């Protein structure tokens, strides 16, 4: 393995662990982040010429710890030789004990604390746990690098000022907080799955990959959390269809028209295995587990016509009891159209207009249903509204073509 490959691999595997370890030891996110960044910069300078050390993680741990101590020494005279020696000894013992997974879990909960705005939680998670650069995060969410840097700086300052605890919550608070962590990971994945801006590529594979990687980390730290496992299954099954979702001309390809031969069989197999794992636990499924089960139904057949729509409706019924939102009702109606017909589904969709009038998918769904029942003029108006509200370029291209085809037939 080349030095460049070794550094890249170490960055993926060690960044979050090192930042978490130093944050816990020194109680300062800035010191932790900057010391780890310095350690990787030194590695990039030395490893190509001097060779990759036998234990890259241990080398980076020692180097980052020394850089943190150097910074503390520069900023404060309070550190004495005895304290410095103890800090170095702590680092050595920690490395000998292996990856400090509970430290990384503490950092995840800190980054996703509910006292922080959602945009700050996402940015901190990608920076401190994922190791993405400020520039990479800024590009992902279409803001300037300066603005993103300021966002991250303010978030870290708020953690200090509000004395947000660096730790894993317990009891009922843990259950509430885990859901917040999962929401952050799901938001990152969704932005990659279907970018919301017309300034971005329609699918951001680097974001879906990062969300999956972070979710894998969380599952390794909390293997008994059914919702964390369910979210990972949902991500994998959704990601398995990525190559089939946008045509060569840049147009979104709906599920019924996708080339299922191009779906990723390995991701599907892993996702199905995780869904079965959740079912085998005997625990009542949560929101992400049910969404994963719905995706498992879709990815279990090689022909759209063989989809078990009755099972999909039944799963949405369960989901609606947990999450009685208009979005769930809209998605359930799409499945109902395949079981009971578009006219029945349309009646349900029309009842959602007041709450979803500004949601492009509502108008797109309604347009398709109106098309199927022969109301071409109303369908065209619904397509117009969907195109107006949609931000994703692939969606806009698909909806525009569907509307124009309708016009050709009238």
């Amino acid at each position: 393995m080349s030095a460049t490959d070794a550094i890249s691999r170490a960055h993926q595997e060690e960044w979050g662990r090192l930042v978490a370890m130093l944050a816990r030891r020194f109680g300062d996110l800035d010191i932790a982040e900057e010391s780890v960044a310095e350690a990787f910069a030194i590695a990039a300078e030395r490893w190509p010429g001097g060779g990759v050390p036998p234990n890259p993680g241990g080398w980076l741990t020692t180097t980052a710890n020394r850089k943190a101590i150097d910074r503390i020494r520069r900023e404060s005279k309070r550190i004495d030789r005895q304290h410095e020696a103890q800090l170095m000894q702590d680092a050595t013992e920690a490395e000998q004990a292996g990856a400090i997974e509970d430290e990384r879990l503490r950092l995840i909960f800190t980054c996703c604390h509910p006292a922080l705005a959602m945009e700050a939680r996402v940015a901190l998670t990608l920076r401190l746990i994922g190791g993405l650069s400020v520039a990479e995060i800024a590009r992902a969410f279409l803001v300037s690098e300066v603005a993103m840097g300021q966002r991250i700086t303010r978030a870290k300052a708020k953690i200090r000022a509000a004395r947000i605890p660096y730790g894993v919550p317990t009891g009922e608070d843990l259950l509430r907080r885990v859901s917040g962590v999962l929401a952050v990971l799901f938001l990152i994945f969704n932005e990659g799955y279907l970018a919301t801006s017309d300034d971005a590529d329609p699918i951001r594979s680097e974001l879906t990959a990062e969300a999956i990687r972070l979710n894998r980390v969380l599952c390794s730290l909390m293997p008994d959390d059914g919702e964390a496992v369910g979210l990972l299954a949902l991500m994998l099954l959704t990601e398995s269809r990525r190559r089939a979702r946008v045509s060569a001309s840049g147009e979104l390809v709906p599920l019924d028209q996708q080339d299922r031969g191009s779906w990723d069989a390995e991701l599907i197999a892993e996702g199905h295995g995780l869904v079965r794992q959740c079912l085998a636990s005997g625990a009542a499924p949560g929101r992400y587990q049910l969404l994963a089960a719905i995706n498992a139904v879709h990815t279990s057949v090689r022909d759209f016509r063989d989809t078990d729509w009755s099972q999909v409706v039944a799963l949405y019924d369960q989901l609606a009891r947990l999450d009685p939102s208009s979005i769930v009702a809209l998605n359930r109606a799409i499945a109902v159209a395949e079981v009971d017909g578009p006219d029945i589904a349309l009646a349900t969709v029309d009842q959602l207009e007041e709450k979803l009038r500004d949601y492009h998918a509502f108008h797109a769904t309604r347009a398709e249903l109106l098309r199927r029942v022969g109301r071409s003029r109303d369908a065209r108006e619904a397509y117009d509204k969907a195109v107006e509200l949609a931000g994703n370029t692939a969606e806009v291209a698909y909806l525009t073509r569907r509307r124009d085809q309708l016009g050709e037939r009238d």
Side-chain angles (χ1 to χ4, degrees), residues 179-195:
S179 66
V181 172
L182 297 177
V184 168
L185 298 183
F186 198 31
L187 189 153
I188 294 170
F189 181 85
N190 280 339
E191 182 59 30
Y193 167 74
L194 202 63

Side-chain angles (χ1 to χ4, degrees), residues 116-374:
L116 301 173
M118 181 59 78
E119 60 183 18
R121 296 183 220 175
V122 170
L124 275 181
T125 300
L126 290 173
R127 177 62 187 144
L128 300 183
I129 303 297
L132 273 67
S133 69
V134 174
E136 288 172 325
I137 303 169
R139 284 196 299 272
F141 290 91
L142 303 176
V143 300
S144 71
E145 185 174 347
V146 171
M148 182 56 70
Q150 292 172 341
R151 181 180 300 176
I152 293 173
T153 298
R154 286 195 298 269
K156 289 189 289 188
K158 183 165 186 176
I159 289 173
R160 287 193 298 270
R163 298 184 179 180
I164 291 175
Y166 179 74
V168 179
T170 59
E172 292 185 3
D173 191 36
L174 175 61
L175 298 177
R176 290 192 295 268
R177 292 278 301 282
V178 168
S179 66
V181 172
L182 297 177
V184 168
L185 298 183
F186 198 31
L187 189 153
I188 294 170
F189 181 85
N190 280 339
E191 182 59 30
Y193 167 74
L194 202 63
T196 56
S197 172
D198 57 9
D199 294 330
D201 292 334
I203 294 178
R204 308 291 305 280
S205 57
E206 73 278 13
L207 282 182
T208 57
E210 185 61 23
I212 290 171
R213 188 175 74 85
L214 292 173
N215 201 350
R216 288 191 188 279
V217 170
L218 186 63
C219 286
S220 72
L221 302 177
M222 304 182 69
D224 296 327
D225 189 283
E227 279 293 80
V229 174
L231 180 57
L232 179 57
L234 173 60
M235 288 183 181
L236 294 175
L237 294 173
T238 304
E239 179 70 2
S240 72
R241 305 193 298 269
R242 175 168 55 85
R243 289 195 295 265
R245 291 186 56 246
V246 176
S247 69
S249 62
E251 184 178 306
L252 189 71
V253 181
L255 186 62
D256 63 323
Q257 297 174 30
Q258 289 179 11
D259 173 14
R260 299 192 174 209
S262 68
W263 288 0
D264 191 315
E266 289 187 7
L267 291 182
I268 291 174
E270 184 181 0
H272 285 183
L274 293 174
V275 170
R276 289 193 295 271
Q277 175 183 326
C278 291
L279 291 173
S281 72
R287 176 172 178 262
Y288 296 118
Q289 293 171 73
L290 289 169
L291 287 171
I294 290 168
N295 275 265
V297 174
H298 287 305
T299 52
S300 64
V301 294
R302 303 303 298 173
D303 192 310
F304 179 81
R305 292 169 295 184
D306 295 329
T307 304
D308 188 344
W309 288 105
S310 295
Q311 186 178 2
V312 173
V313 172
L315 288 167
Y316 270 119
D317 287 340
Q318 283 186 264
L319 181 59
R321 288 192 286 270
L322 291 177
D323 179 16
S325 69
S326 299
I327 300 295
V328 170
L330 179 67
N331 290 326
R332 180 184 180 277
I334 295 172
V336 167
E338 303 299 326
V339 176
D340 298 324
D343 51 343
I344 301 297
L346 182 59
T348 298
V349 170
D350 282 343
Q351 295 174 6
L352 302 173
E353 182 172 7
E354 183 176 350
K355 292 182 179 179
L356 298 180
R357 66 174 72 251
D358 296 323
Y359 182 42
H360 77 279
F362 163 77
H363 296 283
T365 300
R366 188 166 179 270
E368 291 293 329
L369 294 174
L370 288 166
R371 182 192 198 107
R372 290 173 62 179
V373 299

